[in-house]
């Protein structure tokens, strides 16, 4: 079995906590903060609702749009950190929970407007020069789609 080298060299805990607080503020509707924390060449790795891999979401404008799309479904969507931040070199990992009221607009959804939704996910952020340059998203989309009663057909 291969030994895994776990290190905390790189980001200091205070910087990581500050960046995560700003990341959380972005997802909670403060899109202006994206200019401060997202690199111009930021790259997203995620399974998207449209079947894409996230590569079309890039830079500051792409992240603002991506966050806005999620918030369109639930304007009161609130994200909080469940676990972390965990720092490893130039990476930060957080597990989050999001909860809010469905506003409508998801194709194929049968849930009534006002339905409370709660789902979880994990973000991995790679940091360079104090900004997020890569973002990996792993969200429990199946749980969200089930709560929204999205049909497979």
């Amino acid at each position: 079995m291969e030994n895994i080298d776990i290190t905390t060299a790189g980001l200091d805990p205070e910087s990581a906590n500050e960046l995560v607080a700003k990341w959380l503020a972005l997802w909670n509707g403060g899109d202006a903060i994206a200019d401060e924390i997202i690199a111009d060449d930021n790259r997203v790795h995620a399974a998207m609702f449209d079947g894409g891999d996230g590569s079309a979401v890039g830079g500051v404008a792409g992240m603002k749009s991506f966050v806005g799309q999620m918030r369109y479904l639930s304007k009161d969507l609130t994200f909080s950190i469940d676990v972390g931040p965990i720092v490893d070199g130039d990476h930060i990992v957080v597990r989050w929970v999001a909860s809010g009221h469905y506003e409508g607009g998801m194709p194929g959804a049968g849930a009534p407007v006002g339905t409370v939704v709660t789902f979880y996910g994990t973000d991995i952020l790679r940091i360079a020069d104090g900004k997020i340059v890569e973002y990996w998203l792993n969200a429990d989309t199946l749980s969200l789609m089930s709560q929204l009663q999205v049909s497979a057909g």
Side-chain angles (χ1 to χ4, degrees):
M1 182 168 187
E2 180 182 338
N3 286 339
I4 298 173
D5 179 25
I6 298 175
T7 179
T8 57
L11 294 168
D12 64 89
E14 184 177 331
S15 296
N17 285 331
E18 286 176 20
L19 190 58
V20 167
K22 291 175 182 177
W23 178 247
L24 200 58
L26 169 64
W27 281 98
N28 283 326
D31 72 339
I33 201 133
D35 297 308
E36 183 181 338
I37 65 169
I38 305 296
D40 290 336
D41 59 349
N42 178 59
R43 174 116 162 69
V44 174
H45 309 273
M48 307 300 280
F49 288 143
D50 66 3
D53 64 0
S55 60
V57 179
V60 177
M63 274 305 301
K64 285 181 179 181
S65 176
F66 184 47
V67 170
Q69 289 171 19
M70 199 64 200
R71 298 201 59 79
Y72 173 78
L73 297 175
S74 174
K75 290 179 182 44
D76 70 345
L77 193 62
T78 302
F79 288 81
S80 60
I81 302 300
D82 193 31
V83 176
I86 300 167
V87 178
D88 182 8
D90 61 353
H91 290 79
I92 301 173
V93 180
V94 294
R95 177 165 166 78
W96 49 262
V97 58
S99 194
H101 294 84
Y102 175 54
E103 301 272 334
M106 173 63 76
V113 169
T115 298
V116 175
V117 294
T118 300
F119 61 105
Y120 295 83
T122 303
D123 292 346
I124 302 172
L125 310 171
R126 186 171 69 83
I127 313 304
D129 298 323
K131 292 192 174 191
I132 299 165
V133 294
E134 276 188 283
Y135 166 40
W136 289 264
L137 167 63
N138 183 349
D140 190 351
T141 307
L142 178 59
S143 174
L144 177 61
M145 295 299 118
S146 295
Q147 292 172 66
L148 296 177
Q149 302 170 22
V150 174
S151 62

